[in-house]
Amino acid sequence: MSTSKASYAQAHQEHWLRDKQEEGGIVLLEDDSLWEISPSDRRKTERWLRVSTIAVEPIHGQGYAYRLKNTMDQETALANYLGQVADKRNIPQEAA
């Protein structure tokens, strides 16, 4: 699990899934935000379709700072915000 404490300014807005890496372990949204998904939720995010509508909700506890909700199928996944794709330091090698 990442220990990143990056803050995501566009929570509570509607987004869509642009890409996935590492069998659902890394999710990229249309605004170039990159997310690390909880290992226990990766089977769900692996099934999520590109262009699925995603809501980002800040949460406290559970070791993750955010919950991504696929509003098309009502599934949720715990996640940590890794930053923006433009910041190459935050992108796992497989997603670069």
Side-chain angles (χ1 to χ4, degrees):
M1 175 172 47
S2 173
T3 58
S4 173
K5 299 292 183 192
S7 179
Y8 183 64
Q10 296 183 47
H12 305 295
Q13 295 180 18
E14 187 173 281
H15 299 279
W16 53 269
L17 180 64
R18 190 167 93 191
D19 201 2
K20 303 174 288 186
Q21 300 290 331
E22 298 180 20
E23 298 176 346
I26 301 291
V27 168
L28 177 65
L29 299 182
E30 95 294 339
D31 66 350
D32 291 329
S33 61
L34 200 61
W35 300 87
E36 175 190 39
I37 305 300
S38 162
S40 63
D41 290 328
R42 291 177 182 182
R43 287 184 177 229
K44 289 188 268 185
T45 55
E46 184 178 22
R47 293 188 310 259
W48 289 3
L49 302 174
R50 287 183 177 87
V51 307
S52 294
T53 304
I54 306 295
V56 178
E57 305 166 347
I59 60 171
H60 299 287
Q62 302 181 40
Y64 290 85
Y66 296 90
R67 179 180 296 118
L68 302 185
K69 181 178 182 181
N70 182 330
T71 61
M72 297 174 75
D73 61 14
Q74 303 303 310
E75 286 186 322
T76 62
L78 298 176
N80 279 323
Y81 175 58
L82 297 176
Q84 297 300 116
V85 170
D87 185 354
K88 296 292 185 191
R89 295 170 298 164
N90 292 329
I91 302 174
Q93 190 62 33
E94 297 82 8

